[in-house]
Amino acid sequence: MPTARRSRRDWGERTLAWAFLTPSLVVFALFIGYPLGRTFYLSAHANDLFGAPSRYVGLRHYTDLLGSAEFHQTLVTTALFVLLTVVPGVVGALALVLLLESRIHGVRAFRSAFALPFAFSVASASVVFSVLYNPASGVLNGLLSQLGVAPVGWLTDQRYALLSVGAATIWMTLGYNVLVLSAGVGSIPQEITEAARLDGASGLRLARSVTVPLLGPHLFFLVVVSTINALQSFGQIHILTKGGPDGATRTLVYSVYEKAFAYGSSDFGTASAQAVVLLVVVLACAGVQFGVLERKVHYA
Amino acid sequence: MSRIAVYLLLAFAVVTVGFPVYYAFAGALMGPSELASYPPALLPHSVTGRNFAGAVHAIPLGRQYLNSAITATVITVAQLLTSILAAYAFVFLPLRARAAVFAVFLATLMVPWEAVIIPNYLTISGWGLGNTYFGLVLPFLASGFGTFMLRQSFRQFPAELRDAARIDGAGHWRFLWRVLVPLSKPSLAAIAVYVFLSAWNQYFWPLIITRTAQMQTLQIGMESLRDAEVADPGLVLAGVVLTLLPTLALVVLGQRFIVRGLTAGAVR
């Protein structure tokens, strides 16, 4: 009875498949699926001082956010922070990678140097920058005053705080960006660049007409990933400015933290509504990535 | 562009990027008077180890090292195990709803963790696991990323080897642990390095789920070093250096694995 035996074996294998998938599925259900639903639930409920949901309020948290000047500022700050970190971060890494491509000595050493920040966690990098930015004893102001420039309140001045946190963030992500783009350059077929060189292209011309266009998909990937990472930045803001001064560095994620956990606050309703906004923005970015990749996978 | 200009630009970039790294180490070796000196001291004149001793004294650094190590190790081992099993099911076992289940795994990659952190905090606290090792690791015992990476690697496993193992009488379990896993070591190492680094460097979750210095991980403890000793940057930098050493070693020794793991999602 070969078919009976086969189907029994089949049945055993199907069971085994589910048994193998179960541990992962249980973790996902408990810590991603269920909380996702609960975030929506909390965002539609008012809560008492301890954060326990009290009554259904529908979309009120969302409409409150729409009308809140503070939340508008949060959104603007978030957008600025993304722009400030992603554009210079990607462009800077691209410039470095292109410089490394121009047939120089010591490429490996340079590349390792640029990968160094990668060893730093967000927390340790932020703590180092907080020492550098220190208005009184920090090296930055020390060097500035040598040049006769008045000390700058890097993290305490409304005008500079977001820029300073952004600069620290660019520093943290540079190593990763260089790695991704180096891998991209490595994947460009040698014949293409050699052919271009034989045709007399070099330096900027080679970069503009050959390398950068062929890096397109990698640059696109990097922009999307950097955007999503910037949207989720938390540690550097918490360590450097705590969202201040006066909300100047309060991004969406930081606002979620403030409402839900900071200063004994347990406003889980408002915080959850903001978390939903974050979710939508990040999913939109991921969606853009998938949509574009689906259409433009073939290159080179 | 002339060659000299290229070198100058690169040198400038190296100095800019390298300075915070350099200063973390140099400052950790300077005494308080040097750190506060004007013009700012860039080289430690009289090297001192006092900051390190001070940092160890100021916070339970040893305990927090242990906390970070336990947390990161448990998360890494668990994610490897759950991902190996799940990836095996996707590649080598019959499954009717394969596409749908795989879509679930992919979907978990897109959800930003910050969007579910409040309910997870409530869940873990509700189970009475706040401020415990269980609380630190439970949400991270499985990973769509690890499963995805391993599935890619398993799919490239040569069919002849698999058939040979089957002819030798190896069932799924034996084939998995005796043949497949040993031969997939490079992929497993890449995932392990990546997962360990991310777990070691976690910030948001350990910040809210731990309450006492005894349960804090290094990433959180380091900051209290700064808050406790506002006037002593040397101590803070020493704490950073001590926190940094394991990851620095991992990044230097495991660089090729990291490159593989990190660029895995990139377009090829």
Side-chain angles (χ1 to χ4, degrees), chain A residues 166-182:
Chain A
T169 307
I170 293 170
W171 186 84
M172 291 171 210
T173 51
L174 191 76
Y176 173 74
N177 294 359
V178 167
L179 279 179
V180 169
L181 292 182
S182 296

Side-chain angles (χ1 to χ4, degrees), chain B residues 218-232:
Chain B
L218 277 175
Q219 309 299 330
I220 314 300
M222 190 174 28
E223 202 200 343
S224 53
L225 204 54
R226 188 192 58 166
D227 293 342
E229 310 276 338
V230 188
D232 200 346

Side-chain angles (χ1 to χ4, degrees), chain A residues 13 105 121 171 232 239, chain B residues 7 17 114 172 203 219 226:
Chain A
E13 284 190 321
H105 296 287
S121 65
W171 186 84
Q232 293 177 263
I239 291 175
Chain B
Y7 280 115
V17 173
E114 295 75 14
H172 284 294
Y203 187 77
Q219 309 299 330
R226 188 192 58 166

